[in-house]
Every structure is written in C-alpha cells, then in structure tokens.
C-alpha cells in the first residue's frame, strides 16, 4: 500500500507542474494581447467615447483579459480581430474590434470598434466620434469657432 501512495503523490506533483506551466504560458499570451497596439487603440477609443463610457457607468472602467479560446479572437501579422470584456459601475459588455497593420509603416490602425452591452445596446465607437466631429464642424461653419466655444462652455 505504501508504494501505491508514493505513486499518487508523484502523479499529483507532475499534474501540478504541467498545469502551472500552462498557466504561465497563458499569462504571457494575455500580456502580449493587452500590451499590443491593436488592443490599446481599441481601449483608447472606448475611453474617448462619452456615450459608451456613460452607458457602462465609467469611470471606473475595468478591462478584462480576452478569452484565448474564443473564436472571435483572431490575430495574424496583418489583421487583428479581438473581443475585449469590459465593465463599468452600471453594466458590462464586449468591445468588438478589428484592426489592420500597414505593411509600409508597420503601424496598426483601428477599422472597427463596437461596444455591445449586456442589455443588447450596441454603440459603434468610430461612427459616434465621426458624427460628433461632423456636428462640431457644421456648428463651427454656421456660427464660427468663438461662438461655438461660447455655446459649449456656457460663456
């Protein structure tokens, strides 16, 4: 019986070591994703969208690790499509992003950034910025920069 117990202990240690190695490997991959330009650009776009941040109840904004096994996450040398879990104090959801890398400059650019909240609301982050910019330009054209500043600042 003593011989059998020794074998179980050795087997347990081996399994722990294998699982530990897998865990460290997953941590390294998670770190690579969170430090990547395509991830950073997407989170910055979310933080710059007042409607999305308000809907989440952010700040504070909590950005979680992507699920490495999720088939929505696909990255190669030229494109990156990732699904980033995020939460605020009101609700949470997923930030779906698509980016591409310019082969000439080797820089990533964000092509799509859509926040889908748990309740089903969808906010296209790039469209909302473009719409806000177009509205600001239209107001500047109509009333001039100084008057627009007065309208926005209440002066």
């Amino acid at each position: 019986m003593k011989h059998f117990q020794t074998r179980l202990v050795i087997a347990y240690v081996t399994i722990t070591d294998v699982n530990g190695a897998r865990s460290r490997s997953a941590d390294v991959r998670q770190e690579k994703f969170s430090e990547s330009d395509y991830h950073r650009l997407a989170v910055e776009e979310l933080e710059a969208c007042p409607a999305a941040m308000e809907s989440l109840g952010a700040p504070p904004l909590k950005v979680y690790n992507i699920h490495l096994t999720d088939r929505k996450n696909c990255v190669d040398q030229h494109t990156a499509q990732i699904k980033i879990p995020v939460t605020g104090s009101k609700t949470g959801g997923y930030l779906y992003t698509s980016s591409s890398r310019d082969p000439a400059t080797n820089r990533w650019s964000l092509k799509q950034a859509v926040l889908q909240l748990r309740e089903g609301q969808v906010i296209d982050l790039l469209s909302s910025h473009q719409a806000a910019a177009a509205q600001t330009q239209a107001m500047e054209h109509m009333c001039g920069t100084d008057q627009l500043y007065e309208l926005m600042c209440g002066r």
Side-chain angles (χ1 to χ4, degrees):
M1 184 70 173
K2 191 174 186 179
H3 182 14
F4 180 71
Q5 288 175 336
T6 304
R7 282 183 151 175
L8 285 177
V9 171
I10 291 170
Y12 176 76
V13 170
T14 303
I15 290 169
T16 302
D17 286 344
V18 169
N19 288 337
R22 285 185 185 153
S23 178
R24 282 188 294 276
S25 175
D27 289 344
V28 169
R29 284 182 290 194
Q30 286 289 357
E31 194 174 307
K32 283 184 178 183
F33 276 112
S34 63
E35 292 176 353
S36 66
D37 286 342
Y38 49 83
H39 188 282
R40 180 186 50 77
L41 289 168
V43 172
E44 286 175 357
E45 195 69 33
L46 173 60
E47 291 173 334
C49 182
M53 294 293 281
E54 184 179 330
S55 294
L56 286 166
L61 176 67
K62 176 74 175 157
V63 179
Y64 295 91
N65 289 335
I66 67 167
H67 303 288
L68 295 174
T69 57
D70 191 326
R71 293 181 186 261
K72 300 272 186 202
N73 298 317
C74 180
V75 178
D76 62 27
Q77 293 177 359
H78 308 289
T79 60
Q81 293 182 331
I82 56 174
K83 175 181 159 186
I84 306 169
V86 295
T87 60
S89 61
K90 292 181 187 175
T91 190
Y94 290 99
L95 176 57
Y96 292 89
T97 72
S98 179
S99 301
S100 63
R101 187 188 331 218
D102 182 340
T105 63
N106 208 27
R107 289 187 177 207
W108 287 94
S109 62
L110 195 59
K111 300 297 181 192
Q112 180 184 22
V114 175
L115 175 65
Q116 182 172 7
L117 300 175
R118 288 182 190 133
E119 298 77 17
Q121 181 184 4
V122 175
I123 302 170
D124 186 337
L125 304 179
L126 299 180
S127 292
S128 58
H129 283 306
Q130 291 168 352
Q135 186 177 19
T136 301
Q137 286 178 339
M139 291 198 59
E140 282 179 354
H141 182 45
M142 286 175 38
C143 60
T145 309
D146 291 338
Q147 289 176 332
L148 177 61
Y149 177 79
E150 290 172 12
L151 286 172
M152 291 174 68
C153 297
R155 294 184 180 154

